[in-house]
Amino acid sequence: MSLTDLLSPSDIAAALRDCQAPDSFSPKKFFQISGMSKKSSSQLKEIFRILDNDQSGFIEEDELKYFLQRFECGARVLTASETKTFLAAADHDGDGKIGAEEFQEMVQA
């Protein structure tokens, strides 16, 4: 399964266009524009599984900086500032990584 099986390619493209400039990425806005915020819990778990590149059950900081590239290989890498802000917003238990439940809570907030 790929992200385009769960999200509209045109919504993904619009979300990526919205954050092309460095330091313009807003997770909440990206989730809304891409359509992720309207997905069910089971769909969000599948999206998380796809985004969890190493299949560890967590999205770590190293994976997070390539978040946009998981949607389109030519997309930019998140800046260090964007990555840290994204991680801090989702990492509720302070373990330095985002679990599936934390991801779901952030997307649906």
Side-chain angles (χ1 to χ4, degrees):
M1 185 169 284
S2 72
L3 288 168
T4 54
D5 292 329
L6 297 160
L7 300 168
S8 153
S10 61
D11 288 347
I12 290 172
L16 290 170
R17 272 193 310 275
D18 185 69
C19 61
Q20 281 179 337
D23 292 317
S24 66
F25 177 74
S26 161
K28 190 170 186 78
K29 193 171 183 187
F30 187 88
F31 298 148
Q32 290 170 340
I33 295 171
S34 69
M36 264 197 269
S37 58
K38 296 178 189 141
K39 297 299 174 186
S40 70
S41 295
S42 62
Q43 289 170 315
L44 287 175
K45 282 184 179 142
E46 186 61 26
I47 290 169
F48 177 87
R49 192 191 62 70
I50 293 167
L51 295 174
D52 178 15
N53 201 34
D54 65 3
Q55 299 300 300
S56 66
F58 297 94
I59 299 175
E60 293 88 6
E61 190 170 345
D62 282 350
E63 290 174 305
L64 204 54
K65 67 182 172 185
Y66 299 106
F67 179 80
L68 298 177
Q69 292 183 354
R70 301 296 292 152
F71 292 87
E72 181 181 280
C73 61
R76 72 178 180 86
V77 173
L78 294 180
T79 65
S81 170
E82 289 171 319
T83 302
K84 291 201 182 310
T85 301
F86 193 173
L87 184 60
D91 181 22
H92 302 303
D93 60 11
D95 63 358
K97 52 193 175 186
I98 301 169
E101 287 181 18
E102 290 171 318
F103 179 76
Q104 188 175 321
E105 286 171 22
M106 182 183 199
V107 173
Q108 293 177 325

